[in-house]
Amino acid sequence: MNDYKTLIAFIESQVQSVVPDPGESYRDLHAYFREKIDNPSNDKGDVRLMASRALKVAGLNQNRHSHTASTLNQPANAHKRACAATLLAMSIIRDTSESLLTNDYKRLQKMQTSAVVAELLLLLKKGDTVRSTRHPKLELKNFASAGTRTSLWKMEIEDAYARALDLLLRCEMTFLPPSLPIAQRIRQCFTDYFGDPDAMVDTSTIPFKVGGPTWGTKNQSRLTVAREVMRRVCRNFVRQEVRIYFGGRSIDAGTFAYVSGATNPTKIHVGGMFFTKVQTGLGSEAGTIVHECTHTFAGTKDHKYRSDPCKQLALSEPLKALSNADSYKFFVESAFG
């Protein structure tokens, strides 16, 4: 057997050696991997990379179909086999980035083999999707992998969800109704991040992603464009299921959050850096959730980050401002916070 098949066989043997607690079970990692590859909403190349990058970090043969025999079953390689198997599970289940896998591999190598296997089994255990008792439409997934911070971060993400929901409900009530005059404070915040609300733009030239807003008549005011973006965000986030994951492919040292997959439920991935953001005000956790939802529901892009560059973008390139996720984040935080 090659390295990949040897690791899968080792994982299966570890799962078979334990008796799960009542109501619990363990994933068949290879079957789970195949399901991800066969899922039409996933990019097959991206999914295959989940396995190959774990094998790469562990210094193993990355070809899952190789005919080269593995040496991992040799007694001298028992610890390396356990570490590599845990890394493979980490990558396939959490879609962990290569940089984080590298750090985790170094950490695992310093542990006793029995402790590594225990972590492997924890990763494989099903059921780490928890319905929030505070918010019926919110699910939390993979937070058990946050270790000692699990309960703290679960509580904090629930608070962030509640604040994002509050911001969007205020937006829906005070900004979206077309017949409602815009309050002076909201108008000023709009001008800060998008420019003159009454200025007309050619909507066909706004650089939204595919699936972004469209209009029957292409000449619309900036206010109309921004209202449509926020209408999509409010309508979907407020009314449908939201699943927040801890971890994922793009969660590395420089990433706070990203969105993935289909829009129902809304899937938001957060990393440890997310919890370094302020809880209220500009640049908040709730604002970051709004930012990610504009990507999912309105096809926004990341032209600029941070408040001052976003304000400058409104002056220099207003069409980009109207399709910039952080511009909507800061507008919502400042206008409705």
Side-chain angles (χ1 to χ4, degrees), residues 20-77:
D21 295 330
E24 291 186 338
S25 60
Y26 292 91
R27 291 182 179 92
D28 179 330
L29 189 67
H30 181 63
Y32 183 69
F33 182 51
R34 291 302 317 173
E35 286 173 11
K36 282 196 169 187
I37 290 177
D38 295 337
N39 187 332
S41 68
N42 291 332
D43 183 290
K44 293 183 186 296
D46 283 348
V47 176
R48 292 187 182 106
L49 282 174
M50 294 177 193
S52 62
R53 65 172 167 259
L55 295 168
K56 176 185 176 182
V57 170
L60 301 175
N61 188 337
Q62 297 174 51
N63 185 352
R64 293 182 293 111
H65 307 290
S66 170
H67 296 293
T68 302
S70 176
T71 62
L72 287 170
N73 281 332
Q74 295 178 3
N77 289 331

Side-chain angles (χ1 to χ4, degrees), residues 72-298:
L72 287 170
N73 281 332
Q74 295 178 3
N77 289 331
H79 187 65
K80 180 174 183 177
R81 181 182 60 192
C83 292
T86 305
L87 213 63
L88 183 65
M90 236 178 241
S91 190
I92 290 174
I93 293 170
R94 295 187 198 157
D95 201 3
T96 309
S97 68
E98 186 174 327
S99 61
L100 284 184
L101 287 175
T102 300
N103 292 336
D104 277 317
Y105 191 54
K106 292 176 182 177
R107 175 180 60 81
L108 293 169
Q109 287 176 307
K110 298 175 183 178
M111 296 164 56
Q112 295 292 322
T113 303
S114 59
V116 175
V117 171
E119 183 164 336
L120 169 64
L121 292 172
L122 181 62
L123 281 165
L124 294 170
K125 188 177 290 186
K126 290 183 179 180
D128 187 17
T129 301
V130 179
R131 175 75 61 176
S132 169
T133 56
R134 295 166 54 190
H135 308 290
K137 292 184 179 180
L138 175 64
E139 285 186 339
L140 305 175
K141 188 171 177 64
N142 294 343
F143 274 78
S145 63
T148 57
R149 297 184 177 95
T150 294
S151 59
L152 177 65
W153 282 356
K154 275 185 176 179
M155 186 180 302
E156 191 166 333
I157 202 70
E158 286 181 307
D159 289 344
Y161 169 86
R163 286 190 292 271
L165 190 62
D166 183 61
L167 287 172
L168 292 174
L169 285 171
R170 293 184 188 188
C171 175
E172 189 172 46
M173 291 185 293
T174 62
F175 176 67
L176 294 188
S179 59
L180 191 69
I182 301 177
Q184 183 56 41
R185 177 190 173 206
I186 297 174
R187 176 175 285 272
Q188 182 57 57
C189 294
F190 186 100
T191 303
D192 288 342
Y193 293 105
F194 303 111
D196 181 357
D198 300 318
M200 302 298 289
V201 295
D202 179 349
T203 57
S204 66
T205 63
I206 301 175
F208 288 113
K209 294 178 183 177
V210 175
T214 57
W215 290 265
T217 303
K218 65 181 183 178
N219 291 323
Q220 301 287 344
S221 69
R222 295 184 193 181
L223 176 61
T224 299
V225 172
R227 272 178 165 163
E228 176 58 20
V229 169
M230 292 312 305
R231 185 189 67 81
R232 288 178 169 219
V233 172
C234 292
R235 178 188 62 193
N236 288 287
F237 185 83
V238 169
R239 291 170 177 78
Q240 72 178 33
E241 302 274 320
V242 176
R243 182 179 295 161
I244 300 181
Y245 297 73
F246 179 71
R249 179 181 66 253
S250 299
I251 297 297
D252 54 30
T255 304
F256 296 102
Y258 73 95
V259 285
S260 69
T263 58
N264 195 2
T266 307
K267 299 177 181 178
I268 303 173
H269 299 251
V270 301
M273 285 291 291
F274 177 89
F275 300 99
T276 66
K277 300 182 80 65
V278 295
Q279 295 186 11
T280 58
L282 295 182
S284 67
E285 295 170 342
T288 299
I289 291 174
V290 172
H291 169 120
E292 297 303 331
C293 287
T294 68
H295 287 319
T296 296
F297 301 121

